[in-house]
Amino acid sequence: MQYYEKAASVSTPWVRLDPELGRIDLVGESYPANSFEFYQPIVEWLSAYLALDSVHPVHVELELSYVNTGSIKSMLDLFDLLEQAHQDGRAVAVVWKYDSRNQRALETAEEFSEDVSFPFKTLDTFVP
Amino acid sequence: MKGLNLWDLRQQLDAANILICFNGPLSQSIIEQLGVAVRRHLEGEALDEGTLYDVFAVYIEQSQNIQNYTAKKAAEGIHASPGSSGVHFDAATIAIGRVEPDHYLVTAGNPVAKADLPALTALLDALAGLDADGLKALYREQRRKPRTGSGAGLGLIDMARKASRPLEYQVREMDEHTAYFHLIAVI
């Protein structure tokens, strides 16, 4: 499995896919011109990681302050893979970090968590 | 040749309380840079985070809808209207302004093939009749649908959820095949 890292841009998050840790990180904002193209390598990486074996856990850390509707569709593809892995008995967990001054980021996270049955935690990062 | 009177144009934009206006072919970098400028400006107005987010989000969805539509037309091999106006499909107009002390206008116009209009206006008319729960239900249903067509559906529902009143639109004929479609969202 390949380690993958991509720097953030104005409209795309920092991405890190670490097979050693079984961990995915996405940090930043997500509104690329072509969200399908941007998320495709991430979806493929996760598929390949899940196909390696059925025991290694997956931990996903998201800190996305803005996600456009195109990216939301692609992220659902990721969550579908995670949900299936969880149904198959694998340990899957998602932590979504947000700043409580921006309630919309929390709403975005909650609308994802409503669709899944694996552990999905939202974490407020704002320090008053 | 009739010259452009920038002073008149500016007076018109000022009278409508427009903060930022763009007219021309859109690109991802223009969308990003205008977005950054809009945000800086709104942060300067000490807007609460929620409103700022919604104005930015609706601006992104509107401009990317136009960009996606242009790309879809280009993929069909159509870059400009086949009608007498010959207008290019990438010719967009976007404006962001303040309409009332606590409300912001995010509006965009672009040439649309008349054949593509009925589906668009039917969706907008349907959205206007839905309350917050109805919009949420439709949003959840739509985001599960496979990517087809222009993909404008989810973006429009998202805008309708963020707007403080139903989305409005205007249609003006440009030539026998093409109309200028103008979408109006008030946050």
Side-chain angles (χ1 to χ4, degrees):
Chain A
M1 277 304 289
Q2 196 70 34
Y3 174 89
Y4 177 99
E5 191 168 346
K6 197 172 182 183
S9 74
V10 177
S11 59
T12 55
W14 170 65
V15 180
R16 186 180 64 184
L17 311 171
D18 188 334
E20 294 293 314
L21 298 172
R23 181 173 159 142
I24 294 178
D25 287 274
L26 296 176
V27 179
E29 304 201 340
S30 185
Y31 55 102
N34 188 334
S35 51
F36 181 76
E37 220 172 81
F38 180 79
Y39 280 93
Q40 197 53 26
I42 306 172
V43 172
E44 280 170 7
W45 185 92
L46 180 60
S47 295
Y49 177 81
L50 295 173
L52 281 179
D53 63 60
S54 56
V55 288
H56 278 88
V58 190
H59 184 81
V60 181
E61 291 254 345
L62 304 169
E63 192 168 355
L64 297 165
S65 51
Y66 171 61
V67 186
N68 74 343
T69 55
S71 302
I72 279 176
K73 267 188 174 303
S74 292
M75 289 187 64
L76 279 172
D77 294 340
L78 279 179
F79 282 115
D80 284 347
L81 286 174
L82 294 171
E83 179 66 22
Q84 190 55 51
H86 169 71
Q87 300 284 342
D88 294 343
R90 190 189 297 259
V92 172
V94 170
V95 176
W96 189 302
K97 296 179 179 169
Y98 71 101
D99 182 325
S100 53
R101 287 169 297 181
N102 175 5
Q103 282 303 308
R104 291 297 195 190
L106 176 60
E107 286 167 23
T108 304
E110 284 172 346
E111 287 190 347
F112 279 118
S113 71
E114 286 168 13
D115 275 6
V116 300
S117 62
F118 53 76
F120 189 119
K121 202 167 83 178
T122 51
L123 198 68
D124 183 5
T125 57
F126 175 59
V127 182
Chain B
M1 192 188 115
K2 205 170 142 197
L4 170 67
N5 190 324
L6 272 186
W7 173 249
D8 286 349
L9 180 61
R10 188 200 148 122
Q11 297 279 87
Q12 225 187 322
L13 293 170
D14 282 350
N17 276 321
I18 299 302
L19 307 169
I20 287 182
C21 182
F22 173 83
N23 184 63
L26 273 182
S27 68
Q28 176 70 6
S29 65
I30 287 172
I31 291 173
E32 288 175 4
Q33 292 312 312
L34 268 183
V36 169
V38 167
R39 264 179 166 169
R40 291 239 172 88
H41 188 93
L42 297 180
E43 277 162 8
E45 297 207 336
L47 219 57
D48 69 277
E49 289 276 339
T51 310
L52 201 156
Y53 182 98
D54 287 348
V55 171
F56 179 73
V58 171
Y59 156 74
I60 290 292
E61 293 296 334
Q62 282 191 0
S63 50
Q64 290 190 330
N65 264 357
I66 295 176
Q67 206 186 18
N68 292 340
Y69 183 71
T70 307
K72 181 185 161 227
K73 283 287 161 208
E76 293 168 9
I78 309 165
H79 296 273
S81 166
S84 54
S85 75
V87 65
H88 280 255
F89 280 109
D90 66 359
T93 314
I94 294 178
I96 296 156
R98 189 178 208 160
V99 281
E100 289 154 37
D102 295 324
H103 289 287
Y104 285 80
L105 168 79
V106 183
T107 189
N110 62 309
V112 173
K114 282 184 184 171
D116 297 328
L117 276 177
L120 181 61
T121 54
L123 175 59
L124 284 164
D125 293 341
L127 293 180
L130 293 175
D131 60 8
D133 288 341
L135 287 171
K136 183 176 180 180
L138 187 62
Y139 176 83
R140 292 179 65 83
E141 187 190 318
Q142 185 76 29
R143 73 178 193 167
R144 279 282 167 199
K145 286 197 179 151
R147 295 173 187 82
T148 50
S150 70
L154 196 62
L156 289 172
I157 302 167
D158 188 58
M159 286 180 223
R161 293 184 72 193
K162 292 182 164 79
S164 58
R165 56 193 79 159
L167 300 176
E168 288 175 31
Y169 63 87
Q170 289 167 5
V171 175
R172 180 178 289 224
E173 171 152 324
M174 295 183 89
D175 63 43
E176 60 276 31
H177 297 292
T178 313
Y180 188 74
F181 177 78
H182 175 193
L183 182 65
I184 301 142
V186 174
I187 316 301

